[in-house]
Amino acid sequence: MDKLIELDHQLFLWLNNLGNESWDWIWLLITDKWTAIPLYALLLYLIFKKFGWKPSLITVVFITLLITATDQLGNLFKDGFERLRPCRQEGVMEYARFVAVRCGSYGFFSAHAANSMGVAVFLGLLFRKVIPKMILWLLGWALLVAYSRVYLGVHYPGDIIVGMLIGALLGFIFYKLHEWVQLKIFKNS
């Protein structure tokens, strides 16, 4: 386990130090939840256009529950594992570029990575028949958000990978539950 942690630290330092001050503002923008509002608005428009009001409201509830689940599970893991973030870890923070506005105490796993991957998988599956390549765009967005956390100095790659895996799993589970609920509610419509 110590070897794996050391590899995670080394990979973090390598990826984090690829950064450049002239690019920092872009990565701060990518990681900011408010920056994604135009994307969310477009996705919301597509959901309502494809499904109509009642099914879309159920879809929005499922997305909200998915984000809440990934976020709260992330908090539970952070409090349970108490793995220091790179910006707090002695022997790492001295060599890292810390760009983020703030740095929390614990970082395992990344809720940013879990949230974005969960939404990407959920909506990618939801739109796979109508807009087949949407999942590629959403996964690309999720990967950018995930990498931004390493770039900014607040998560190790391991935090990101685990967050993305948990997000993908929950995105799939919530998609399947969503399908089942939609079928039960609207089968007679």
Side-chain angles (χ1 to χ4, degrees), residues 109-171:
F109 61 87
S110 169
H112 271 80
N115 290 339
S116 57
M117 184 58 75
V119 170
V121 168
F122 181 90
L123 291 176
L125 291 171
L126 191 67
F127 282 102
R128 74 182 182 278
K129 292 179 184 170
V130 182
I131 310 171
K133 294 191 181 200
M134 180 185 277
I135 195 162
L136 298 175
W137 289 101
L138 292 173
L139 291 175
W141 164 72
L143 287 170
L144 277 175
V145 170
Y147 175 71
S148 75
R149 308 306 289 162
V150 173
Y151 183 99
L152 298 174
V154 294
H155 280 292
Y156 291 106
D159 302 341
I160 300 302
I161 292 167
V162 171
M164 290 172 65
L165 290 172
I166 288 173
L169 177 64
L170 287 176

Side-chain angles (χ1 to χ4, degrees), residues 1 3 15 23 36 46 83 98 119 124 140 146 156 167 177 184 188:
M1 188 60 142
K3 183 70 173 164
L15 291 170
W23 292 94
L46 292 172
R83 182 182 190 198
F98 177 63
V119 170
Y156 291 106
L177 288 171
K184 290 290 184 190
N188 296 327

Side-chain angles (χ1 to χ4, degrees), residues 16 19-30 97-99 151-152:
N16 174 261
N20 181 310
E21 282 184 29
S22 60
W23 292 94
D24 290 354
W25 69 274
I26 293 172
W27 293 101
L28 285 165
L29 203 60
I30 289 169
R97 297 179 71 249
F98 177 63
V99 183
Y151 183 99
L152 298 174

Side-chain angles (χ1 to χ4, degrees), residues 1-46:
M1 188 60 142
D2 290 338
K3 183 70 173 164
L4 190 59
I5 291 170
E6 181 59 31
L7 285 171
D8 202 22
H9 289 184
Q10 289 174 4
L11 182 58
F12 164 79
L13 287 171
W14 181 72
L15 291 170
N16 174 261
N17 282 293
L18 290 174
N20 181 310
E21 282 184 29
S22 60
W23 292 94
D24 290 354
W25 69 274
I26 293 172
W27 293 101
L28 285 165
L29 203 60
I30 289 169
T31 208
D32 190 334
K33 62 185 173 191
W34 301 110
T35 303
I37 287 178
L39 173 63
Y40 296 147
L42 173 63
L43 293 169
L44 199 57
Y45 167 76
L46 292 172

Side-chain angles (χ1 to χ4, degrees), residues 53-59 61-62 177-189:
W53 280 97
K54 288 180 184 176
S56 293
L57 290 175
I58 292 169
T59 301
V61 167
F62 267 84
L177 288 171
H178 173 266
E179 266 189 334
W180 181 78
V181 167
Q182 293 280 28
L183 186 65
K184 290 290 184 190
I185 292 174
F186 297 108
K187 72 178 178 182
N188 296 327
S189 299

